[in-house]
Amino acid sequence: MGNPKGFMTIKKKEAGYRPAHERITDFSEVEQTLNSDDRKLQAARCMDCGVPFCHWACPVSNRMPEWQDLLFKGRWKDAIDSLQSTNDFPEFTGRICPAPCEQACVLNLDKDSVTIRENEAAIVEYAFEHGYIKAEKITRNGKSVAVIGGGPAGMAAANQLNKKGYKVTLFEKDNAIGGLLRFGIPDFKLNKSIIDRRLQVMGEEGIEFKVSTEVGKDITGAEIMKQFDAVCITIGAQQARDLPVEGRDISGVHFAMDFLGQQNHINRGDEVAPEEIISAKGKNVLVIGGGDTGSDCVGTSIRQHAASVTQIEILPQPPETDNPDTPWPYWPNTLRTSSSHKEGCERRWSLATKKFIADKNGNLEGVEVVEVVWGKDDQGKFTMKEVGKPEIIKAELVTLAMGFVSPIHEGLCDELGLDYDARGNVKIDPSTQQASVAKVFAAGDAAVGASLVVRAIDSGRKAAQQIDNYLSK
């Protein structure tokens, strides 16, 4: 703890966002950065608590007090070494993680937490700029592993396995590695050059990337099983939750990932047929789903020059500050307002969708919704009840952002004969992350359901360790 009075004498300073009137005209990252001197001061606010709840709350167990102190002392190389000892990709989490560590920070008892996430991003950016992150020479052990799915879990598993000496091939069905980092999260939250920069290092270290290759279709699962000593499935939970109400098949109703992914493809210069383009330009947009994916749809719609954007959620509006049901240091269920919301969006809660309404040409023109109230039945189970009369929200474009159900079973998973758990995820032994088929492992959302990028990275790291244990016997 370099400055024992830092938290008392130095005020919290966040980088903040670019001005809204400027950022809505492009897809560049919305967050600004502080200079190195400011970052050192912010790191000095860390109290090096006897019980580091920040570390407890972090899925990858980052040692925050350690690298905050190193940052404060200007020991940038040591700081990045500490950071990367637990997290393969701090440049991703430093931008898009919701930072449960900050919610668990002791200073957050006064709503004045250390700027942990921004400090993390500052360290890794300094490290890249000064050449601290570069390809290492790997000694091979003669064994090979296929990692199927190029998202954060797959990238982390591949990175760790490669460093352990395995010949790793990372398969991705899309035309670039990254998964939802690349084709789900908008560029204004994560510039894709950040992914490419890391992939260059991974490639120089010997990882082979095979894109536009869907295992189970372009190459069979049987061939993969024959070619590799072990297989790690990291295909994500891409089966989106649908809304099977009247009018669901009307033109103008789309899954959020189809909308977001297409914009990211366009941003990277990929060709999209004009008749397939999903555009919010000049339209009244309704986003159904109140989470992060819904927020991303809001920001993307605004950048596409929507006439209006409304976001609705079936659950009640959470408290704006403290929630007694989720006290510190737990992740609080409170109202969150993203940079996209601040750009211009009407938000409503406790609304259930009844049906989609088409105009005389068969195109979407409105959505019928009704207010609901929530309560508990005799068994303590939450139930909802409709109240009042239905209303119609004008909309020519709807994005369904209600979460994800499970990995897609058709193709690779079914071909390999994998077992699924009660929620449809690939069933694994939690202690080994091994699936029901010999030498097959699973990690990330495919194994545990849709979750945070930081949890996917942690799961990929753990799967790599278990694969190493398995192949080292």
Side-chain angles (χ1 to χ4, degrees), residues 376-442:
K376 291 185 178 180
D377 60 20
D378 296 338
Q379 285 73 43
K381 182 180 179 181
F382 277 102
T383 60
M384 72 173 189
K385 179 175 65 175
E386 295 181 7
V387 295
K389 295 182 179 180
E391 65 172 295
I392 295 175
I393 297 177
K394 184 179 180 181
E396 294 84 43
L397 174 64
V398 165
T399 59
L400 304 179
M402 303 176 298
F404 304 88
V405 178
S406 70
I408 295 174
H409 296 169
E410 182 182 359
L412 174 66
C413 294
D414 283 347
E415 181 195 339
L416 293 180
L418 300 179
D419 290 344
Y420 306 108
D421 64 18
R423 301 184 66 180
N425 302 315
V426 176
K427 188 176 182 179
I428 60 171
D429 180 336
S431 64
T432 64
Q433 291 194 225
Q434 191 160 1
S436 57
V437 175
K439 80 175 190 180
V440 177
F441 297 75

Side-chain angles (χ1 to χ4, degrees), residues 321-336:
T321 54
D322 296 324
N323 187 336
D325 293 334
T326 52
W328 179 92
Y330 295 103
W331 176 255
N333 180 23
T334 54
L335 180 64
R336 287 176 173 78

Side-chain angles (χ1 to χ4, degrees), residues 39 42-43 58 60 62-64 67-68 71 76 79-80 82-84 86-102 114-128 133 197-198 454 457:
R39 278 289 156 228
Q42 290 304 299
C58 178
V60 293
N62 275 340
R63 297 190 286 266
M64 286 80 168
W67 49 259
Q68 299 287 356
L71 171 56
W76 295 90
I80 189 60
S82 173
L83 190 51
Q84 289 199 131
T86 58
N87 183 358
D88 293 66
F89 312 119
E91 65 269 35
F92 303 157
T93 52
R95 285 171 166 80
I96 60 175
C97 186
C101 54
E102 292 187 22
V114 175
T115 54
I116 300 172
R117 180 184 61 81
E118 293 186 12
N119 292 356
E120 176 181 345
I123 291 170
V124 69
E125 288 308 307
Y126 188 99
F128 267 110
I133 298 175
R197 179 180 64 182
R198 176 63 71 168
V454 66
I457 293 172

